[in-house]
Amino acid sequence: MEIPIFPLGGVLFPGGVLSLKVFEQRYLDMAAACMKNHAPFGICLIASGKEVGEPAVPHKVGTLAHIDSGDMPQLGILMLEVSGERRFRIISQSVQSDGLIRAQVELLEEPVGIEVPVAQRALLPLLKKVVDDLGTGKIPEPHAFDDAAWVGYRLTEIVPVQALAKQKLLELEDPVSRLEILLTYLSQRKLIV
């Protein structure tokens, strides 16, 4: 499938939510087209470049974003609420005359129904506490505390690590490996007993 790409300084995960402030014309046009056609766009972490100005170079793996709502509090500034859908890998890309990146992408398989292994269940009390504290606005229902992929994505969203580390965790194919890395990281910092 072909989608527009929104390079960002952060990472969106499947099942996650993100607030975006859009003001560059290329992205205002992209958002309008996506809302009109009920079509997703891709969010990718910036590999090099900046969010504003010349088109940034995106990482090859990103997440489809669906616009849940949009509001224009002042002329030329669009506030979007988006939710993450499937992960994808960029196969090829081109830059339009307005600076918008369009990419041919392949959707990545999401492992379904893999339970959180006993060895990583120590992660669950921390995640449940964070979900209770943040509420459904930040971590929307349904909550799937028994699903290894969902637990890994939610924990990765909240751990205080650099965006590149979050990107590497997004790229992992195996949700149990993601949980093992998170458990090690959080245990070393005494956030999990």
Side-chain angles (χ1 to χ4, degrees):
M1 68 190 286
E2 183 181 290
I3 56 170
I5 300 293
F6 192 96
L8 206 57
V11 180
L12 176 65
F13 291 88
V17 293
L18 200 58
S19 298
L20 297 174
K21 181 178 182 180
V22 180
F23 52 88
E24 286 188 88
Q25 192 60 51
R26 59 185 160 180
Y27 298 125
L28 291 169
D29 294 343
M30 175 201 79
C34 287
M35 286 190 280
K36 179 182 173 196
N37 301 317
H38 303 286
F41 62 95
I43 290 183
C44 293
L45 179 67
I46 294 171
S48 66
K50 293 185 170 56
E51 285 186 4
V52 180
E54 292 295 313
V57 177
H59 278 270
K60 295 293 182 204
V61 174
T63 303
L64 289 179
H66 174 79
I67 298 173
D68 296 320
S69 65
D71 182 38
M72 193 168 274
Q74 65 187 72
L75 192 62
I77 295 182
L78 181 62
M79 301 302 292
L80 295 177
E81 294 295 322
V82 303
S83 54
E85 296 176 348
R86 298 264 307 269
R87 294 176 309 139
F88 63 83
R89 178 175 286 109
I90 294 176
I91 305 301
S92 65
Q93 66 188 48
S94 60
V95 179
Q96 296 179 171
S97 59
D98 64 357
L100 182 69
I101 299 169
R102 293 200 65 84
Q104 291 286 334
V105 302
E106 66 174 347
L107 296 179
L108 299 176
E109 288 299 316
E110 286 297 335
V112 179
I114 297 176
E115 286 190 27
V116 176
V118 172
Q120 282 83 41
R121 289 204 182 136
L123 292 165
L124 296 178
L126 174 66
L127 181 58
K128 286 177 180 176
K129 179 164 180 15
V130 170
V131 168
D132 286 345
D133 289 350
L134 293 178
T136 56
K138 294 285 185 196
I139 302 183
E141 294 179 319
H143 297 151
F145 292 106
D146 55 348
D147 181 271
W150 186 88
V151 169
Y153 289 146
R154 300 297 73 80
L155 281 168
T156 305
E157 289 170 345
I158 61 171
V159 293
V161 296
Q162 292 181 353
L164 186 57
K166 293 183 185 228
Q167 176 69 27
K168 295 301 181 198
L169 289 168
L170 175 72
E171 292 174 6
L172 283 177
E173 295 294 325
D174 176 26
V176 175
S177 296
R178 189 178 297 116
L179 293 179
E180 289 170 352
I181 292 166
L182 288 163
L183 183 65
T184 300
Y185 175 84
L186 293 167
S187 297
Q188 287 172 344
R189 280 145 191 85
K190 311 263 189 285
L191 295 168
I192 290 178
V193 182

